[in-house]
């Protein structure tokens, strides 16, 4: 990998509430801890990533879509809206967290504006990550996102789908016969996408921390605070048990996500 090569990681799929910002959080925090430069961008009205890593952890936060009034005044407004994002991609390795219903317009802009030609000149390589929870709509959205991304970003990019178990009961087992789930498995077998399985976190500290906008890593340090805010409050022994569960989940999740947390890319080799 040449010294000028930059990896642009896009975390998307049009379905909201599947865990895209959680996945993005892990990459942002890992790069921060390692001291690697990473331009962190979110395109999301709700600023979910900012709530997890703090506003100082996000270099550029913009609303999900260009204002319809701007489009009425300037037919190129949509393209200009996303040009600011590309300027961030040019700086260094980058991470772009895409809110609900942002993936399709972003990919359309990439196609219309011939961004891949610019990216080749600027030595930017893409890593597209879709995220799906155990839900038919989420799975279908992930499949569509991967297909659209492959069409716009080409075969020289890397493609992943994070299967995020948000239920804690049967996970994705009930979807083994689901057409979208089976298609993802077929795409994995063909080498078109890599599937990453993110386990459910059953720690009370995780759940209460999320309600308090405390990210899971910080929840380890603020366990006593979260335990006191729980209803009912957690006693000392329960707090230690729940902290152990959270620590194990953090370690396992970071290990599972490692293919998208790395600084280098197989496509860049």
């Amino acid at each position: 990998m040449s010294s000028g090569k930059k990896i642009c990681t896009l975390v998307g799929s049009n379905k909201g509430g599947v865990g895209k910002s959680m996945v993005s959080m892990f990459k942002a925090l890992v790069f921060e801890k390692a001291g690697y430069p990473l331009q962190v961008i979110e395109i999301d009205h709700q600023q979910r990533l900012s709530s997890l890593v703090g506003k100082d952890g996000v270099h550029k936060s913009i609303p999900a879509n260009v204002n319809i009034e701007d489009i009425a005044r300037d037919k190129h407004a949509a393209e200009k809206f996303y040009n600011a994002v590309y300027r961030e991609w040019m700086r260094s390795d980058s991470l772009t967290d895409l809110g609900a219903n942002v993936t399709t317009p972003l990919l359309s802009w990439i196609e219309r504006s011939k961004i891949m030609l610019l990216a080749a000149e600027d030595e930017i390589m893409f890593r597209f990550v879709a995220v799906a929870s155990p839900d038919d709509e989420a799975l279908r959205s992930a499949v569509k996102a991967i297909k659209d991304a492959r069409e716009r970003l080409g075969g020289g990019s890397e493609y992943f789908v994070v299967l995020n178990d948000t239920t804690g009961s049967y996970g994705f087992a009930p979807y083994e016969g689901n057409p979208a789930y089976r298609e993802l498995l077929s795409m994995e077998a063909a080498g078109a996408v890599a599937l990453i399985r993110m386990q459910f976190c059953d720690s009370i500290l995780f759940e209460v921390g999320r309600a308090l906008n405390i990210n899971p890593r910080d929840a380890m340090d603020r366990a006593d605070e979260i335990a006191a805010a729980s209803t009912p409050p957690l006693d000392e022994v329960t707090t230690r048990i729940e902290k152990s569960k959270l620590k194990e989940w953090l370690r396992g999740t970071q290990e599972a996500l490692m293919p998208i947390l790395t600084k280098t890319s197989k496509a860049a080799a």
Side-chain angles (χ1 to χ4, degrees):
M1 176 174 169
S2 68
S3 59
K5 197 71 70 175
K6 296 174 282 286
I7 305 299
C8 175
T9 301
L10 306 176
V11 181
S13 75
N14 288 316
K15 179 73 166 62
V18 295
K20 295 188 293 291
S21 295
M22 183 68 70
V23 171
S24 295
M25 177 208 75
F26 270 93
K27 187 174 183 75
L29 294 179
V30 165
F31 269 59
E32 177 189 13
K33 185 176 181 180
Y36 293 142
L38 182 72
Q39 293 300 119
V40 180
I41 307 116
E42 66 179 351
I43 309 176
D44 184 4
H45 282 308
Q46 297 185 3
Q47 298 183 314
R48 294 184 185 276
L49 184 57
S50 287
S51 71
L52 288 171
V53 301
K55 292 188 181 299
D56 290 342
V58 175
H59 297 92
K60 192 168 192 64
S61 178
I62 61 177
N65 293 293
V66 61
N67 191 301
I68 191 67
E69 295 178 359
D70 293 335
I71 295 178
R73 289 192 296 267
D74 180 1
K75 65 180 181 179
H76 299 295
E79 286 81 0
K80 294 175 181 176
F81 177 82
Y82 290 109
N83 288 349
V85 176
Y86 187 80
R87 287 195 290 272
E88 299 297 319
W89 294 353
M90 292 169 57
R91 297 178 187 274
S92 69
D93 286 357
S94 63
L95 164 70
T96 306
D97 183 59
L98 305 176
N101 299 313
V102 176
T103 300
T104 295
L106 180 85
L107 291 174
S108 296
W109 160 73
I110 286 176
E111 182 177 42
R112 287 194 308 270
S113 299
K114 311 296 183 185
I115 292 301
M116 296 307 292
L117 294 177
L118 294 182
E121 294 176 2
D122 296 327
E123 294 192 285
I124 298 172
M125 302 197 72
F126 289 90
R127 178 182 285 162
F128 186 86
V129 184
V131 184
S133 57
D135 170 84
D136 179 62
E137 184 182 353
L139 288 165
R140 285 188 283 108
S141 180
V143 169
K144 184 179 186 307
I146 289 294
K147 288 182 176 179
D148 288 349
R150 288 190 64 87
E151 181 178 344
R152 271 55 176 250
L153 303 179
S157 302
E158 295 180 338
Y159 302 92
F160 300 86
V161 174
V162 176
L163 298 174
N164 179 21
D165 181 3
T166 57
T167 65
S169 52
Y170 299 104
F172 287 87
Y175 293 88
E176 290 180 354
N178 179 279
Y181 186 72
R182 291 176 65 87
E183 187 166 6
L184 285 176
L185 294 179
S186 296
M187 293 170 72
E188 180 185 40
V193 67
L195 299 185
I196 295 174
R197 290 163 176 82
M198 193 162 124
Q199 299 302 311
F200 176 76
C201 182
D202 66 350
S203 171
I204 298 173
L205 296 177
F206 177 91
E207 294 297 333
V208 178
R210 183 169 61 177
L212 297 173
N213 283 329
I214 299 173
N215 73 60
R217 190 183 71 171
D218 289 347
M220 291 293 297
D221 297 327
R222 300 171 65 179
D224 291 339
E225 173 189 343
I226 295 171
S230 180
T231 305
L234 306 181
D235 60 50
E236 179 185 0
V237 174
T238 302
T239 300
R240 290 173 62 190
I241 292 171
E242 297 304 316
K243 189 173 182 180
S244 177
K245 290 179 183 178
L246 179 57
K247 183 177 182 180
E248 182 178 354
W249 178 81
L250 285 167
R251 181 170 53 246
T253 300
Q254 182 168 322
E255 182 178 340
L257 293 175
M258 195 54 65
I260 65 174
L261 302 181
T262 56
K263 184 172 171 58
T264 58
S265 165
K266 288 185 292 185

